[in-house]
Amino acid sequence: MKMPVYLLAALPLTLALIAFTLSKPWSVRQFVATQQPLLQPPPLPAPPDCPDSGREDIGFIPEYAGWRFERPLSQIAVATTTSVELHVLLLWIYYHRRLGVDTFYIFVEGELESPEKRSILRSIPGVKVNSRTMKLREKQLKSPIWKGNWLLDYQYKPCNYQKYVRQALNLEAATYVARRAGMKWILHLSVDELIHPGGETHDSLASTLQGFNESVDLVVFPHYESVVESDSVQDPFTDVTLFKRSPSHITKRDYRQVFDQVSHNNSLYFLSQADGRIAARLQPGLHPSGPNRWSNAFKALRDVAADEAVVLHYTYTKFSDLTAMRSLCDECQAVPKLARRCFLNEFDSAAFIAAKTLSDEGLFQWYKDHVVWQNKTLVHKLVQRSILVRNHIPQIIIQGLREVGFFQEMIEAGSQAFEDSQMIEKLELKEMVRLGQEAGKFKLEMASLRFSKRRQGKVVERQNRSDLEDQLDDQRQSGASTHHPARRQSSPGLQLNSTTVIPSSSEQRNLPFALVTSAHPVQNGRRRLLASIRPWFQSSFFHGCCTSFRSLEAKVQSSLGHFMTLFW
């Protein structure tokens, strides 16, 4: 069968018309694009609270059961373990909130564990507060980090090593919860560290992380350490503006040439850590290998260093930071070899020995020699060579936050809210005590009512006994000619006089049942039982059973006697 000629001619024309239509801006493709939202599935509802969701994986940390897992905007989370003062922590939180961090997982220690301060922190949206409770410790002892071989060198050492382990375990918990909450990035910071997303016009950490493609798993922020120019620093975030650049941001030649000058009478380039901080993209299998290291059980992680974004570390900026070490690590001795076992960093152990052994004047002089940069000429020279760099952005942001007066108002409002909650709890407790007292009075009244009814019942029972005695006397007098008087008996339930005679069993059968049972209260149940089983004993079936049993017993005895006779 041949195809008609007009179909063969219409086929190429139809294909050409379709191609022409799809190539125009007013084509069907534009119409489908405008109608695309109608083809998409409806948005998912907001996840419910943890207690109502019933998901077992949320139960890793019972303390987080009340957290609401909403979808944040930038989906960036920061975790920290701290015991600093409340106003310092609030400045740190709102500085990073200004950079685009949505959620903060804060593990509080020391004075921050007080209910008032925790209530103030929990009143801030996006701040999740948790203290190191016994349940959390038990859960963390079962974590892969605690069982890992790499942690064996830190688990059973004192002071800074214990803090290192706590930070790693808390970061693991925060990573787990952040991934369940839908976060994309997580970063561990100390409260004396501030992220500076350099190169961004709006100082946004979110835009910095969004600049990396999906193949990047880790973003490394180099470390910039504070340079203290005065021994009277009160607020590090605003008084310190000079920083020592990371060795990765200077040439190796400059590093070798200026090392002796930059180390500032110390053995290392930085006073404290020099690893920087790493932001990790949340994914299956991701877990921390320490406070600043990450690994994945399923693949090798790809890390990229940020070009201009850095971490500003404000270390030993105040003299009080040095004197505070006198109250730390009581189990450590101020001897170089023994103190080195308590601290990860060499300068920390040297500062600990100085704080324990020197007087206030000597310790202050040691602080100026090893921490404070008093040589302005050297500072100017190193700034010109770009070894030291000035950064005023954190100072401007924090000063702006303080000028608003928001933090003091927040602390006062949080304290007032905590006092109100305490007052409400006291009132509720008083109301519960009052209700308990009323319930106790009601129970007492009911018990007294039952006791009075019981006494009335006993009075009625005594009256019934006296009536029974009178009836028994009448029966005895009327039937004295036909019945033999029984022996006089006395019982706990019925006191009989010398003229009272207990009726015989045949007489008791003729009496009403109530009178017979009430004659002796102790034997009422026994008499009822005998009255109920008496017909069965009088039945022919019982007599037949007894006869059969006697005959069987006689046969057994005869057989046994016959057997014994044969045996002997």
Side-chain angles (χ1 to χ4, degrees):
M1 180 178 179
K2 295 183 179 180
M3 184 177 295
V5 179
Y6 65 88
L7 290 179
L8 294 175
L11 182 61
L13 293 175
T14 304
L15 295 176
L17 181 61
I18 293 173
F20 176 76
T21 304
L22 294 177
S23 63
K24 292 297 181 180
W26 42 265
S27 61
V28 177
R29 181 169 56 185
Q30 183 182 6
F31 175 77
V32 173
T34 56
Q35 302 298 324
Q36 189 66 25
L38 298 178
L39 302 178
Q40 294 179 354
L44 294 176
D49 291 344
C50 290
D52 299 332
S53 60
R55 289 162 57 176
E56 296 181 357
D57 50 4
I58 301 298
F60 181 79
I61 311 176
E63 287 73 10
Y64 297 153
W67 293 4
R68 179 176 292 277
F69 291 168
E70 59 263 348
R71 293 287 179 177
L73 297 177
S74 62
Q75 297 177 329
I76 301 175
V78 171
T80 186
T81 302
T82 181
S83 60
V84 298
E85 298 177 356
L86 180 61
H87 70 279
V88 177
L89 181 57
L90 292 176
L91 285 174
W92 182 84
I93 290 173
Y94 276 91
Y95 172 84
H96 290 96
R97 176 66 59 83
R98 164 71 173 76
L99 302 182
V101 178
D102 292 305
T103 306
F104 297 86
Y105 300 113
I106 300 178
F107 296 83
V108 294
E109 297 178 348
E111 295 182 356
L112 287 177
E113 290 186 289
S114 65
E116 180 180 0
K117 295 181 179 179
R118 283 190 296 173
S119 64
I120 294 174
L121 292 173
R122 287 195 175 105
S123 64
I124 305 174
V127 175
K128 317 300 180 182
V129 184
N130 188 61
S131 57
R132 191 168 174 78
T133 59
M134 185 59 65
K135 291 183 179 180
L136 181 58
R137 294 178 184 179
E138 292 175 357
K139 290 291 184 181
Q140 289 178 342
L141 290 177
K142 302 177 183 178
S143 67
I145 287 185
W146 184 260
K147 298 178 182 179
N149 295 329
W150 64 271
L151 201 59
L152 294 177
D153 296 336
Y154 304 90
Q155 287 179 357
Y156 305 105
K157 291 183 179 180
C159 208
N160 264 25
Y161 289 90
Q162 294 181 1
K163 182 180 179 180
Y164 182 89
V165 172
R166 291 198 307 271
Q167 289 177 342
L169 295 173
N170 293 339
L171 180 58
E172 181 191 28
T175 303
Y176 182 86
V177 178
R179 183 166 174 262
R180 309 310 300 178
M183 299 290 171
K184 289 185 177 179
W185 295 90
I186 188 169
L187 175 67
H188 180 266
L189 288 176
S190 298
V191 182
D192 59 351
E193 296 175 338
L194 298 178
I195 288 286
H196 172 59
E200 297 293 334
T201 57
H202 302 290
D203 295 325
S204 174
L205 178 62
S207 59
T208 300
L209 295 176
Q210 289 174 0
F212 297 95
N213 54 36
E214 296 292 334
S215 62
V216 176
D217 302 311
L218 305 175
V219 178
V220 182
F221 297 100
H223 193 82
Y224 277 31
E225 190 177 74
S226 61
V227 174
V228 183
E229 301 178 85
S230 173
D231 54 13
S232 59
V233 174
Q234 299 297 326
D235 183 13
F237 294 153
T238 56
D239 296 344
V240 177
T241 59
L242 188 64
F243 296 90
K244 190 185 302 183
R245 298 183 67 186
S246 173
S248 61
H249 284 187
I250 61 178
T251 61
K252 293 182 179 179
R253 178 183 176 183
D254 291 340
Y255 178 78
R256 289 192 296 267
Q257 290 179 353
V258 301
F259 178 83
D260 294 335
Q261 299 173 350
V262 175
S263 60
H264 195 60
N265 300 327
N266 299 304
S267 59
L268 299 176
Y269 183 84
F270 283 141
L271 297 182
S272 58
Q273 61 184 10
D275 298 335
R277 293 298 181 181
I278 301 175
R281 188 189 299 274
L282 291 168
Q283 54 191 275
L286 180 72
H287 62 89
S289 299
N292 200 35
R293 296 182 179 87
W294 300 90
S295 59
N296 194 318
F298 302 138
K299 69 172 187 178
L301 299 176
R302 180 192 175 193
D303 60 323
V304 176
D307 295 332
E308 300 182 57
V310 296
V311 174
L312 305 178
H313 189 194
Y314 298 81
T315 177
Y316 292 102
T317 53
K318 297 187 294 183
F319 179 66
S320 59
D321 297 339
L322 194 60
T323 57
M325 300 192 71
R326 292 174 174 174
S327 59
L328 298 179
C329 306
D330 295 334
E331 63 273 21
C332 298
Q333 299 180 9
V335 180
K337 291 184 179 180
L338 299 179
R340 194 68 183 89
R341 295 181 62 255
C342 301
F343 295 92
L344 291 166
N345 188 270
E346 183 177 348
F347 182 82
D348 292 336
S349 61
F352 173 77
I353 294 173
K356 289 285 189 179
T357 56
L358 299 177
S359 61
D360 292 342
E361 294 79 7
L363 184 61
F364 187 71
Q365 185 62 40
W366 188 91
Y367 177 73
K368 293 197 297 185
D369 293 341
H370 292 81
V371 180
V372 182
W373 290 59
Q374 300 176 340
N375 191 344
K376 304 301 180 182
T377 303
L378 178 61
V379 169
H380 182 69
K381 176 184 175 181
L382 294 177
V383 169
Q384 287 183 335
R385 296 191 61 175
S386 297
I387 306 299
L388 304 180
V389 61
R390 294 262 179 205
N391 192 341
H392 297 276
I393 293 179
Q395 180 189 40
I396 295 172
I397 294 176
I398 291 179
Q399 283 181 350
L401 292 174
R402 281 185 170 169
E403 289 175 359
V404 175
F406 176 70
F407 298 104
Q408 189 63 28
E409 294 178 0
M410 182 194 306
I411 294 175
E412 293 177 356
S415 301
Q416 185 64 34
F418 178 74
E419 292 177 359
D420 294 343
S421 64
Q422 293 292 103
M423 182 64 66
I424 292 173
E425 290 180 1
K426 290 181 180 179
L427 293 176
E428 291 178 351
L429 181 60
K430 289 182 179 179
E431 184 67 18
M432 291 175 63
V433 171
R434 186 184 65 81
L435 293 176
Q437 291 176 353
E438 291 182 356
K441 291 180 180 179
F442 178 74
K443 290 181 179 179
L444 183 61
E445 292 176 358
M446 293 298 295
S448 62
L449 181 60
R450 288 195 297 268
F451 181 73
S452 62
K453 289 184 177 180
R454 193 177 303 159
R455 291 187 62 183
Q456 292 177 2
K458 289 184 178 179
V459 171
V460 173
E461 185 178 355
R462 293 195 193 100
Q463 186 66 29
N464 292 336
R465 289 177 187 171
S466 63
D467 295 342
L468 177 62
E469 290 176 0
D470 296 339
Q471 293 182 13
L472 291 176
D473 291 339
D474 297 340
Q475 290 283 343
R476 182 186 61 78
Q477 293 175 2
S478 61
S481 59
T482 57
H483 296 285
H484 298 282
R487 288 185 303 173
R488 187 157 49 101
Q489 297 180 3
S490 63
S491 63
L494 180 61
Q495 299 294 333
L496 302 179
N497 52 27
S498 58
T499 61
T500 304
V501 178
I502 300 298
S504 63
S505 60
S506 60
E507 291 176 344
Q508 290 182 8
R509 293 193 194 99
N510 298 326
L511 291 175
F513 179 75
L515 297 178
V516 175
T517 55
S518 62
H520 201 309
V522 179
Q523 298 179 358
N524 286 344
R526 195 178 302 169
R527 288 176 177 175
R528 289 194 185 95
L529 179 61
L530 292 175
S532 61
I533 66 175
R534 185 181 293 119
W536 188 78
F537 281 108
Q538 295 176 355
S539 63
S540 59
F541 176 76
F542 177 75
H543 291 290
C545 291
C546 292
T547 305
S548 301
F549 180 77
R550 292 193 188 97
S551 62
L552 180 62
E553 183 182 4
K555 292 180 181 180
V556 170
Q557 289 181 356
S558 62
S559 301
L560 184 61
H562 181 67
F563 174 77
M564 294 298 295
T565 302
L566 293 176
F567 179 78
W568 288 107

